[in-house]
């Protein structure tokens, strides 16, 4: 049992005596899935009568180094003391119709922004919510459907059984592809590291053929060759190791994948302090829409040769260099931009229109 008490700690409570056992198990699964040890959260399990058998043992089996904080109060709480628990904001057994993932929905509503600003917060998930894009005609609009035109063409070409969207965010790519996915009954699977974006995607779009889950793009929680084709949009350049990202896409894809990344081919001596293990880290800073402050915005640029040497092992992928987008030119940094396409599709279809920076 781990327990840390802080002023800002968010505490969830369950009276295990009055809640169905299966629902308790659902909440435990949700809590251990959505929360991390570094989160200032605590799940308190108490009993007004007695705990279900084996509940404490089940908790011990769940305990790992990376488990979130919880507290199991063994003895029953006397009637005179119950008010101390039944006046809590997050008393989950009073959340009568608890549905899967509700514990994080509650957290999101009451604590929408983390103190350390990164991609895992509510303000960022709003920016990538396609509903806001569809209701704007100003600079706050975010998307160009044309960026997915090559991928959509590949769906018509392959008619795959399933596809992976690595770095799915709040489900914008799914939104633009859903008509084609429905037409061919293609199963869609989205993975993202942001909890706030993933729960929003689940609530907006999940259905029998559409699934979203938490996962690290550099270590996907997926088996080899799990998907016919895969793709990644606006994710690879932000991974601390972009090469691991494309290697993972190759591992889980049977017929190739769509992705792209910036690389460094030309020697820039002044960048050496930012280089580690063949990868340069450049923080360009960002002012996110709906969040009035400058935040870190680190791009990771591997060396060109490092990427190409690894890409030689990608049997079903072709790599195309296209350098019209010199995003880092204001920093006096030139890049060689590499695009990865399924080889069979690329060799048998029309050329790519790079005017829309496809899948960067």
């Amino acid at each position: 049992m781990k327990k840390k008490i802080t002023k800002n700690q968010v505490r969830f409570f369950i009276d295990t005596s009055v809640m169905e056992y299966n629902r308790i198990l659902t909440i435990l699964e949700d809590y251990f899935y959505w929360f991390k040890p570094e989160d200032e959260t605590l799940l308190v399990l108490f009993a007004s009568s007695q705990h279900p058998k084996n509940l404490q043992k089940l908790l011990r089996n769940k305990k790992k180094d990376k488990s979130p904080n919880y507290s199991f109060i063994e003895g029953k709480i006397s009637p005179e003391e119950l008010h101390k628990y039944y006046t809590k904001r997050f008393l989950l057994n009073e959340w009568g119709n608890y549905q899967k993932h509700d514990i994080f929905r509650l957290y999101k509503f009451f604590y929408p922004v983390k103190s350390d600003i990164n991609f895992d917060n509510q303000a960022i998930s709003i920016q990538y919510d396609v509903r806001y894009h569809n209701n704007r005609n100003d600079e706050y609009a975010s998307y160009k459907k044309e960026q997915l035109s090559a991928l959509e063409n590949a769906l018509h070409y392959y008619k795959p059984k399933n596809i992976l969207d690595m770095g799915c965010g709040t489900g914008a790519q799914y939104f633009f592809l859903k008509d084609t996915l429905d037409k061919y009954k293609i199963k869609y699977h989205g993975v993202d590291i942001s909890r706030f974006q993933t729960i929003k995607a689940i609530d907006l779009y999940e259905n029998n053929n559409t699934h979203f889950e938490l996962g690290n793009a550099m270590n996907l929680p997926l088996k080899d060759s799990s998907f016919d084709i895969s793709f990644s949009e606006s994710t690879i350049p932000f991974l601390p190791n972009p090469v691991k990202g494309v290697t993972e896409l190759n591992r889980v894809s049977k017929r190739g994948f769509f992705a792209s990344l910036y690389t460094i081919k030309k020697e820039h001596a002044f960048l050496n302090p930012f280089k580690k293990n063949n990868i340069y880290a450049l923080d360009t800073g960002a002012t996110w829409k709906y969040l009035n402050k400058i935040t870190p915005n680190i791009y990771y640029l591997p060396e060109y040769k490092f990427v190409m040497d690894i890409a030689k092992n990608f049997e079903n992928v072709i790599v195309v260099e296209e350098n019209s987008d010199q995003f880092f030119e204001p920093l006096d940094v030139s890049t060689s931009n590499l695009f990865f396409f399924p080889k069979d599709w690329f060799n048998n279809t029309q050329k790519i229109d790079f005017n829309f920076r496809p899948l960067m």
Side-chain angles (χ1 to χ4, degrees):
M1 177 175 64
K2 295 184 294 181
K3 187 177 179 181
K4 62 177 183 180
I5 303 298
T6 68
K7 180 180 178 181
N8 298 319
Q9 191 173 62
V10 180
R11 302 188 201 181
F12 301 97
F13 295 82
I14 303 175
D15 183 347
T16 66
S17 300
V18 298
M19 195 172 210
E20 296 175 1
Y21 187 63
N22 286 341
R23 193 162 289 179
I24 294 173
L25 296 184
T26 297
I27 292 174
L28 290 178
E29 288 295 327
D30 286 353
Y31 184 69
F32 280 81
Y33 180 76
W34 287 103
F35 294 101
K36 311 168 186 177
E38 60 267 29
D39 288 327
E40 292 190 289
T41 60
L42 180 71
L43 177 64
V44 180
L45 297 100
F46 69 96
S48 55
S49 176
Q50 60 183 13
H51 290 291
K53 292 181 179 179
N54 298 323
L55 182 59
Q56 189 172 15
K57 181 179 178 181
L58 184 149
L59 278 167
R60 289 198 196 100
N61 290 339
K62 275 188 167 296
K63 181 182 176 184
K64 299 176 183 176
D65 291 338
K66 296 183 179 180
S67 296
N69 302 293
Y70 69 88
S71 174
F72 184 87
I73 301 175
E74 294 189 39
K76 71 176 182 180
I77 307 300
S78 68
E80 294 81 9
E81 296 292 315
L82 276 177
H83 71 279
K84 295 180 180 179
Y85 298 86
Y86 271 78
T87 53
K88 300 299 184 183
R89 171 181 285 170
F90 298 129
L91 180 61
L92 298 180
N93 49 276
E94 293 291 290
W95 197 259
N97 190 30
Y98 185 95
Q99 302 295 310
K100 188 170 178 59
H101 307 310
D102 272 356
I103 195 169
F104 194 78
R105 293 185 180 102
L106 286 168
Y107 180 83
K108 182 185 79 166
F109 292 146
F110 283 92
Y111 302 94
V113 180
K114 288 168 61 70
S115 58
D116 57 302
I117 300 302
N118 54 33
F119 280 102
D120 187 17
N121 68 66
Q122 177 75 338
I124 302 302
S125 75
I126 292 172
Q127 172 163 337
Y128 291 109
D129 187 331
V130 75
R131 296 174 302 169
Y132 294 91
H133 162 84
N134 284 342
N135 284 284
R136 307 204 70 97
N137 57 8
D138 56 17
E139 70 275 10
Y140 282 80
S142 300
Y143 294 100
K144 289 185 175 68
K145 183 181 179 181
E146 292 86 352
Q147 286 182 251
L148 296 171
S149 59
L151 173 62
E152 188 164 15
N153 182 278
L155 297 182
H156 293 290
Y157 179 82
Y158 286 113
K159 300 179 181 61
K161 291 182 179 179
N162 59 7
I163 65 168
L164 170 69
D165 179 357
M166 189 182 83
C168 61
T170 61
Q173 282 71 250
Y174 169 77
F175 174 85
F176 288 120
L177 295 171
K178 63 182 180 179
D179 290 342
T180 303
L181 296 172
D182 290 344
K183 178 179 179 179
Y184 298 116
K185 296 181 172 58
I186 301 168
K187 291 186 180 296
Y188 166 99
H189 192 99
V191 175
D192 202 278
I193 200 168
S194 167
R195 296 172 295 178
F196 287 92
Q197 296 193 59
T198 302
I199 191 66
K200 180 168 278 195
I202 289 170
D203 288 344
L204 289 174
Y205 303 119
E206 186 149 290
N207 58 51
N208 289 338
N209 289 321
T210 305
H211 179 66
F212 300 90
E213 71 169 310
L214 291 173
N216 188 329
M218 296 182 295
N219 185 22
L220 291 170
L222 303 166
K223 296 180 180 178
D224 294 357
S225 303
S226 301
F227 299 90
D228 288 333
I229 58 173
S230 303
F231 71 97
S232 183
E233 158 64 11
S234 299
T235 297
I236 299 290
F238 298 102
L239 300 179
N241 190 332
V243 179
K244 279 189 177 180
V246 293
T247 302
E248 280 291 271
L249 280 175
N250 184 67
R251 179 181 67 81
V252 301
S253 306
K254 296 177 186 175
R255 309 182 74 176
F257 62 88
F258 289 83
S260 58
L261 70 163
Y262 300 103
T263 72
I264 296 289
K265 181 188 288 185
K266 179 182 175 182
E267 180 68 26
H268 296 288
F270 65 92
L271 288 182
N272 288 337
F274 306 102
K275 179 181 175 182
K276 183 178 180 181
N277 298 330
N278 305 106
I279 298 172
Y280 299 86
L282 299 185
D283 187 354
T284 62
T287 304
W288 298 102
K289 303 165 188 176
Y290 312 108
L291 186 65
N292 186 26
K293 55 179 71 177
I294 300 293
T295 68
N297 193 43
I298 301 175
Y299 287 85
Y300 294 91
L301 287 62
E303 291 183 322
Y304 175 88
K305 185 177 184 303
F306 178 50
V307 177
M308 294 302 290
D309 286 346
I310 291 174
K312 292 175 184 177
N313 300 314
F314 296 172
E315 183 179 351
N316 297 313
V317 173
I318 192 167
V319 183
V320 176
E321 183 176 350
E322 208 290 331
N323 296 324
S324 60
D325 171 31
Q326 288 299 317
F327 181 76
F328 301 94
E329 190 173 27
L331 301 178
D332 198 27
V333 175
S334 59
T335 55
S336 298
N337 307 332
L338 301 181
F339 291 80
F340 299 78
F341 301 112
K343 184 182 295 184
D344 182 56
W345 170 82
F346 186 85
N347 289 335
N348 289 282
T349 60
Q350 75 271 18
K351 297 297 181 182
I352 306 297
D353 183 356
F354 283 96
N355 291 328
F356 300 107
R357 290 200 304 110
L359 295 177
M360 179 57 81

